[in-house]
Every structure is written in structure tokens, then in C-alpha cells.
Amino acid sequence: MNSLTDVLQMLTDLHITLLETAKKKQDILISAEINPLLAIMADESKLIKKIKEADEMRMEVLEHDKSYLPLSKLIEQQPDGITKVEWTSKLKLLQRLFEEIDKVNKLNQQLIQQSLTYTQFMIEQMLPQSKDSGLYSSEAAAQDSREYARLFDLKA
């Protein structure tokens, strides 16, 4: 069962690194830097892949040692007191890390949504105001299409 302890430690370490990465991403989102955001997202993707691999190792260890039981049930059945305490503390730490990562990710999602809302607002402010209700009016056809084309040419 020592290999399960090793896998739990590996999962804990990876999740701590993932939490640190999510916090770095939060700082980058606040500063509105694009290039560091792309790099941190690539790092985050690699970490998630490593976590999936470590979780597969955990599943293999659990299926190999016992008929599959959830970790909490396996802890309850563990006769060795020291191992039981160690696994319990690692499980609780992992649960706290999951909650913290979830909180940071939700905040990051809100920051991204605010940024998108602001960007959309700024784009709407830069577009010329139409006199008519839409592009399909008889008078707006030629001039409005030229104004929209000119705006997008400037951006490119």
C-alpha cells in the first residue's frame, strides 16, 4: 500500500502547483497581459495532463490492491493506524486544494467575463452610431457598409 501513499503525495504536489498556477493566472488577468497568459495556460494544460496520469496511477493501485473502493472507504478499512492517519490527512488536504482551486477558477472566470463585457462595450462605443434602426434601411446601405469596413481596416 506504500505506492498509494506515493501517488497521493504526487497528486497533492501537482494540485498545489495547479493552485499556484491559477493564482498567477489571476494576477495576469488583472494586469491584462496577453503573452504571459498564453504561457501560463500552456503550463496549466501540462499540469492537468500530469494530474490525469497520476489519477490513473491511483486508480490502478486501488484496483490492484483491493476490489475497487473509494479512497474514503479504503481508509476506513485500513488496519494500520499510521497509514490511516497519513491517508486521511492527504485526503483532507486534497479536498481543501480542490475547493481552493475551484474558488480561484470561479474568480478567474468572473474576471474574464468582465474583460469581455468591457471589450464589447468599447467596441460598441467605437462603432459609428446609425441614424436608422439597422443596415437594411434604404438610405443606410452604401454609407454604413463603408464605415464598418473602414473601422475594421483600421484595426487590422
Side-chain angles (χ1 to χ4, degrees):
M1 286 293 185
N2 192 19
S3 59
L4 180 60
T5 303
D6 296 338
V7 171
L8 288 176
Q9 184 60 49
M10 184 187 318
L11 279 168
T12 302
D13 294 342
L14 288 170
H15 279 89
I16 288 170
T17 306
L18 183 63
L19 178 60
E20 292 168 356
T21 303
K23 288 180 179 179
K24 286 179 190 174
K25 184 165 61 171
Q26 190 175 68
D27 293 337
I28 292 169
L29 285 170
I30 291 169
S31 70
E33 299 279 333
I34 297 296
N35 291 334
L37 182 62
L38 296 174
I40 203 87
M41 288 174 64
D43 292 344
E44 189 176 48
S45 179
K46 291 175 189 174
L47 271 170
I48 290 171
K49 184 177 179 181
K50 287 180 183 179
I51 288 171
K52 285 181 182 179
E53 291 170 359
D55 196 49
E56 288 173 7
M57 289 172 48
R58 178 188 63 87
M59 294 296 287
E60 288 175 15
V61 168
L62 288 176
E63 288 175 0
H64 180 265
D65 291 337
K66 297 267 186 193
S67 59
Y68 179 74
L69 289 173
L71 187 56
S72 57
K73 297 284 185 195
L74 189 62
I75 290 171
E76 289 174 11
Q77 295 179 358
Q78 177 63 24
D80 182 15
I82 295 171
T83 304
K84 189 174 191 172
V85 169
E86 185 177 4
W87 287 357
T88 302
S89 72
K90 290 193 184 305
L91 179 61
K92 287 181 181 179
L93 177 58
L94 278 169
Q95 289 170 337
R96 284 195 307 268
L97 286 169
F98 295 155
E99 290 171 4
E100 184 69 23
I101 290 169
D102 187 50
K103 285 180 190 177
V104 173
N105 281 339
K106 285 181 180 176
L107 184 57
N108 287 349
Q109 184 179 7
Q110 289 174 350
L111 289 169
I112 290 170
Q113 186 61 44
Q114 288 173 356
S115 177
L116 288 173
T117 302
Y118 176 75
T119 303
Q120 183 64 35
F121 172 76
M122 293 306 294
I123 288 172
E124 289 173 4
Q125 294 302 310
M126 292 185 338
L127 290 176
Q129 296 296 322
S130 176
K131 296 173 189 164
D132 295 324
S133 61
L135 292 174
Y136 296 110
S137 70
S138 61
E139 300 166 8
Q143 179 151 358
D144 281 349
S145 64
R146 282 192 304 262
E147 287 178 15
Y148 288 124
R150 186 177 59 225
L151 173 72
F152 289 111
D153 287 344
L154 290 174
K155 285 187 171 186

